[in-house]
């Protein structure tokens, strides 16, 4: 279960700009919020942002439609302004060679945006996105892990030992709430020590040591 932002890649602010533009288009209000996006679900951020602007009559569903439209219109900027994190392509490839491993996305992003982000770096084939957990599933990240596991077990008809990889304390706590193996990777703004303190079973500085990373993820 891969987190997207600052675990697999960084988007260079493309999604954030689409988000702000959609907010103004939907509400008619100038953007004057500064939420902490890191590790949070889009549903959670949406509720906070609308409340901060005093908007009570705007449903997240309506906002997400406009946000996705805006984001997909500028998705080509991802390849120019964003970047993959070190080692990601090799690690995904190595795990993809193992027929017992199913890789998917568990991310606070809405599904269309998550899929477009990984597709921008030619990584879409690495994941079974159908069994992922997304920011439209719930505001609470732990629920995303649970939904992903339920989807995977329903689709594949077997039990999985889930491994969650993410760059924030939210990823780690969401994993632990579901008795998943939690791997923290410090390629975002959260330090290795803080990921360990949150209870991560393993913490990596990044994924550039492909052998070590694959070994840990297959534990
Ligand atoms: Mg992240």
């Amino acid at each position: 279960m891969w987190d997207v932002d600052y675990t697999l890649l960084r988007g260079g602010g493309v999604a954030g700009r689409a988000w702000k533009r959609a907010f103004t288009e939907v509400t008619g209000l100038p953007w004057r919020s500064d939420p902490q996006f890191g590790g949070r679900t889009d549903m959670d951020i949406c509720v906070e942002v609308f409340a901060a602007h005093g908007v009570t009559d705007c449903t997240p569903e309506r906002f997400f439609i406009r946000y996705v439209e805006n984001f997909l219109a500028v998705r080509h900027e991802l390849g120019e302004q964003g970047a993959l994190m070190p080692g990601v392509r090799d690690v995904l490839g190595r795990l993809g060679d193992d027929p017992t491993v199913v890789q998917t996305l568990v991310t606070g992003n809405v599904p269309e945006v998550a899929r477009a982000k990984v597709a921008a770096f030619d990584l879409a084939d690495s994941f079974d996105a159908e069994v992922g957990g997304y920011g439209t599933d719930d505001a609470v990240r732990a629920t995303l892990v649970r939904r992903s596991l339920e989807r995977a077990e329903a689709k594949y008809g077997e039990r999985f030992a889930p491994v969650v990889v993410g760059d924030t304390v939210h990823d780690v706590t969401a994993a632990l709430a579901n008795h998943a193996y939690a791997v923290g990777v410090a390629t975002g703004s959260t330090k290795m020590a803080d990921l360990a303190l949150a209870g991560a079973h393993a913490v990596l500085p990044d994924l550039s040591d492909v052998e070590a990373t694959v070994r840990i993820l297959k534990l």
Side-chain angles (χ1 to χ4, degrees):
M1 296 179 182
W2 288 95
D3 170 54
V4 173
D5 294 307
Y6 294 97
T7 298
L8 295 174
L9 56 89
R10 56 179 178 78
V14 176
R17 289 193 293 278
W19 177 288
K20 292 171 189 175
R21 199 158 55 244
F23 176 82
T24 296
E25 287 169 1
V26 166
T27 64
L29 296 171
W31 178 266
R32 53 176 175 77
S33 181
D34 191 19
Q36 271 293 344
F37 282 94
R40 295 176 61 192
T41 64
D42 279 356
M43 189 84 86
D44 183 27
I45 298 163
C46 190
V47 170
E48 177 190 308
V49 163
F50 282 114
H53 288 81
V55 181
T56 53
D57 62 344
C58 187
T59 60
E61 291 76 12
R62 189 166 143 248
F63 168 73
F64 285 143
I65 289 170
R66 182 57 68 91
Y67 165 53
V68 168
E69 284 171 1
N70 282 349
F71 177 79
L72 294 179
V74 294
R75 62 191 296 175
H76 59 277
E77 295 176 8
L78 279 170
E80 301 151 16
Q81 299 176 26
L84 276 187
M85 295 305 180
V88 162
R89 195 178 298 281
D90 290 338
V91 169
L92 292 175
R94 284 284 301 278
L95 292 171
D97 291 338
D98 184 335
T100 68
V101 173
V102 176
Q103 302 189 81
T104 191
L105 305 169
V106 172
T107 164
N109 283 279
V110 304
E112 296 89 339
V113 171
R115 285 198 289 263
K117 283 181 177 177
V118 297
F121 297 95
D122 290 321
L123 293 177
D125 291 345
S126 297
F127 308 102
D128 183 350
E130 203 177 277
V131 300
Y134 300 97
T136 44
D137 284 328
D138 201 72
V140 178
R141 195 171 182 111
T143 309
L144 279 45
V145 174
R146 183 166 57 77
R147 291 293 294 124
S148 174
L149 192 57
E150 288 168 356
R151 285 169 180 144
E153 294 186 344
K155 177 170 177 176
Y156 291 90
E158 57 183 283
R159 299 298 299 261
F160 287 97
V163 178
V164 172
V165 192
D167 69 294
T168 72
V169 166
H170 297 296
D171 299 88
V172 174
T173 55
L176 298 181
N178 288 277
H179 310 289
Y181 191 74
V183 178
V185 53
T187 38
S189 56
T190 308
K191 295 184 174 71
M192 290 180 73
D194 292 324
L195 294 167
L197 266 177
H201 298 98
V203 181
L204 295 161
D206 58 37
L207 306 183
S208 59
D209 187 339
V210 175
E211 294 304 322
T213 303
V214 169
R215 203 160 51 237
I216 285 167
L217 294 181
K218 285 176 134 186
L219 270 183

